[in-house]
Amino acid sequence: MSKRRTNDAPMPIGECITQLQKCLRERLCRQQPPSRLEASEAQHKHLLELLKRTAVHGESNSVLIVGPRGTGKTALLKCVLRELLQEKEVQKNLLHVHLSGLLQTDDRIALKEITRQLNLENVVGDKVFGSFAENLAFLLEALKKGDRSRTRPVLFVLDEFDLFAHHKNQTLLYNLLDVSQSAQAPVAVVGLTCRLDVLELLEKRVKSRFSHRQIHLLSSLSFTQYLDRVRSQLSLSDGFPDRKFAEDWNASVQNLCEDKSVEEVLRRHFHSSKDFRSLHVLLMLCVSRVSVVNPTIKPADVLEASRLCFSDAKSNILHGLSILELCLVIAMKHLNDVYEGEPFNLQMVHNEFKKFLQRKSNSVYNFEQAVIMKAFERLQQLELIRPVDGSSARTQREYQLMRLALDHSQIMEALQKYPQCPTDIKQWGMSVFG
């Protein structure tokens, strides 16, 4: 009886908040596979069966998981692997190699990464191979069991699969798919891509070695399911150390999801992107505001998190400009208005700025030509202005044609929020004709 009271005894609020932060951060940062899969059961079953044939029966396979970003391709694979690795035999035998087309930009880097992930650096040593195929064959040969009866199965996951099609001669794809087809070793090749036309990118010899199995994921999410996902991601499980705190927290999450202002914010996110990763960013910003002083997520926290998610990066950059740089941006805005978006150069911007100075007769904003040029170059470094395509780099800097990478509304918003912006500059920026 005393032991039960000890387990149910309330924890200090600070410790509860720490445990809460740890639990939700692990969940929202995608360090754990989702407990419930949004993809259809048929897709899960299909992929599990394919990988089980390789891991258990030594049968080679290749498959593509295709779908728009955020539809759960990686989550599907993680859930399948988690279920597959629950079998002890699979856990001991299956080797997993993860490659990304964004990181392994050529076959040499990819082969080096394969060697590293298979822990075969010492086996390869200083050996020299005549071709990529020989090197890969040697690596797979080195994975044979001690009794030499068979090779350990290897799962190759190729994230951003379409980028591997841009490698020279598609050597990596050809050899991996050739091994999977020729039954030299039990190999499963799983590609993840958001391009529906990915097969058109493959060379004929590569396409002929691919199994043409494809698993398509499409987002058919409703707003009700989206709201349920928010509720489930923020709710605490029964295993939380302090049961009373967990009950109170889950009740507050339920009330939060029923709040009309919160529902409006979530509906806006739902219509802008059904990607769960962007939702997790929003929820993570809300969770980070939870503290001992603020032990629950309030509607105001969701509104502030949404404002941060939808904030314009370029407008934020404008808030950090110097007065001179802001004046040059305003001068460019007026040039855009007068010349209807035609490109401009530093000399034109300087002339527009001088017109403002002449009207104000204010010596405070008088700067030397070298200082103005330096400010103009910094705006280019910040990518607020960019050179016109095809403009000659040999043109004198004062006359090199540029375009403004900001629109009218961004500049207006920045002027309103610029800290302690001088009144005359704000009026100049707001004026129609400069």
Side-chain angles (χ1 to χ4, degrees):
M1 193 71 181
S2 60
K3 185 176 180 181
R4 184 176 178 181
R5 279 200 303 270
T6 304
N7 287 339
D8 293 344
M11 293 165 55
I13 184 67
E15 193 172 336
C16 286
I17 296 296
T18 302
Q19 290 293 329
L20 167 78
Q21 291 275 6
K22 181 182 177 184
C23 174
L24 295 186
R25 283 172 187 271
E26 283 181 355
R27 188 184 297 166
L28 295 172
C29 291
R30 301 173 67 84
Q31 295 175 359
Q32 299 175 339
S35 57
R36 185 174 64 85
L37 196 66
E38 279 76 15
S40 70
E41 190 62 33
Q43 293 155 331
H44 180 94
K45 187 177 179 181
H46 184 192
L47 185 60
L48 179 63
E49 183 62 31
L50 282 174
L51 297 186
K52 191 175 282 187
R53 285 185 213 161
T54 302
V56 178
H57 305 296
E59 177 185 314
S60 294
N61 283 300
S62 57
V63 63
L64 277 177
I65 305 175
V66 185
R69 295 196 185 281
T71 49
K73 298 185 293 295
T74 304
L76 172 65
L77 182 61
K78 281 184 176 181
C79 286
V80 168
L81 283 175
R82 180 181 59 190
E83 187 174 335
L84 191 64
L85 293 174
Q86 287 174 353
E87 299 183 25
K88 288 185 178 180
E89 186 183 351
V90 174
Q91 196 172 11
K92 287 189 290 184
N93 285 335
L94 184 66
L95 296 170
H96 181 196
V97 176
H98 188 282
L99 303 176
S100 171
L102 295 170
L103 299 176
Q104 283 75 49
T105 52
D106 62 47
D107 292 341
R108 181 184 58 81
I109 298 172
L111 190 60
K112 193 173 181 181
E113 183 63 15
I114 292 170
T115 307
R116 186 190 68 80
Q117 291 190 33
L118 293 177
N119 297 318
L120 294 175
E121 296 99 325
N122 295 333
V123 177
V124 174
D126 297 326
K127 291 182 174 63
V128 178
F129 299 96
S131 67
F132 183 95
E134 287 179 17
N135 200 340
L136 182 63
F138 178 81
L139 291 177
L140 296 175
E141 184 73 20
L143 296 173
K144 281 193 173 179
K145 285 188 170 182
D147 59 2
R148 293 287 180 184
S149 60
R150 66 183 185 92
T151 309
R152 293 181 66 180
V154 186
L155 168 64
F156 287 94
V157 176
L158 305 182
D159 208 356
E160 304 292 343
F161 182 86
D162 50 289
L163 296 182
F164 287 98
H166 297 298
H167 289 195
K168 186 180 179 182
N169 298 330
Q170 300 182 358
T171 309
L172 174 69
L173 294 180
Y174 172 77
N175 283 283
L176 285 179
L177 294 174
D178 186 55
V179 168
S180 69
Q181 193 185 55
S182 59
Q184 299 173 26
V187 168
V189 180
V190 179
L192 287 82
T193 180
C194 58
R195 290 194 57 167
L196 295 173
D197 63 341
V198 65
L199 291 182
E200 303 304 317
L201 302 175
L202 301 180
E203 293 179 1
K204 191 175 180 180
R205 63 179 189 141
V206 178
K207 197 185 295 187
S208 66
R209 282 159 176 76
F210 176 55
S211 66
H212 290 268
R213 290 192 187 95
Q214 294 188 51
I215 296 175
H216 288 271
L217 293 178
L218 297 173
S219 181
S220 57
L221 197 68
S222 67
F223 180 69
T224 305
Q225 291 171 315
Y226 190 81
L227 204 57
D228 288 341
R229 174 69 177 231
V230 173
R231 194 179 291 108
S232 66
Q233 288 296 297
L234 290 179
S235 297
L236 293 173
S237 64
D238 295 336
F240 192 78
D242 191 319
R243 189 178 304 169
K244 179 69 170 61
F245 179 86
E247 289 173 357
D248 293 343
W249 172 266
N250 290 344
S252 72
V253 169
Q254 181 66 32
N255 292 334
L256 182 76
C257 292
E258 292 172 357
D259 188 274
K260 293 297 179 185
S261 60
V262 172
E263 186 177 325
E264 189 178 331
V265 169
L266 292 175
R267 195 177 291 277
R268 183 186 174 196
H269 276 262
F270 174 75
H271 288 306
S272 64
S273 171
K274 295 180 176 66
D275 188 343
F276 282 135
R277 282 170 293 195
S278 63
L279 173 64
H280 290 170
V281 171
L282 174 72
L283 298 182
M284 192 68 202
L285 290 170
C286 297
V287 169
S288 65
R289 297 173 71 87
V290 176
S291 63
V292 176
V293 180
N294 182 34
T296 60
I297 299 175
K298 297 180 173 61
D301 297 329
V302 180
L303 293 172
E304 177 62 19
S306 177
R307 188 189 66 78
L308 291 173
C309 285
F310 284 109
S311 64
D312 189 340
K314 285 186 177 177
S315 296
N316 292 338
I317 291 174
L318 287 173
H319 303 159
L321 296 181
S322 67
I323 290 294
L324 173 57
E325 290 162 350
L326 184 63
C327 286
L328 295 183
V329 169
I330 294 171
M332 295 170 196
K333 167 192 167 288
H334 288 311
L335 286 172
N336 267 356
D337 293 342
V338 172
Y339 297 108
E340 298 179 345
E342 289 297 313
F344 52 81
N345 57 39
L346 173 59
Q347 194 61 48
M348 294 168 66
V349 174
H350 193 188
N351 291 340
E352 189 70 23
F353 182 41
K354 282 195 288 188
K355 288 180 190 177
F356 165 69
L357 296 180
Q358 288 166 2
R359 286 199 302 272
K360 295 297 176 184
S361 301
N362 195 336
S363 60
V364 175
Y365 305 127
N366 282 329
F367 298 95
E368 294 179 6
Q369 176 75 15
V371 178
I372 292 175
M373 182 176 285
K374 191 71 178 174
F376 191 82
E377 288 174 352
R378 183 165 183 269
L379 291 176
Q380 186 176 349
Q381 289 171 352
L382 293 171
E383 297 184 359
L384 299 179
I385 58 174
R386 54 183 175 78
V388 174
D389 294 337
S391 60
S392 175
R394 290 176 292 180
T395 307
Q396 201 170 340
R397 281 188 297 177
E398 293 91 330
Y399 303 105
Q400 191 174 4
L401 292 177
M402 297 281 181
R403 286 192 188 278
L404 186 61
L406 298 162
D407 60 34
H408 187 274
S409 62
Q410 289 174 312
I411 299 172
M412 292 295 102
E413 183 187 346
L415 284 171
Q416 295 293 342
K417 295 182 179 179
Y418 190 89
Q420 299 176 344
C421 182
T423 306
D424 51 355
I425 291 179
K426 186 178 287 189
Q427 289 174 346
W428 178 42
M430 297 292 184
S431 65
V432 179
F433 301 106

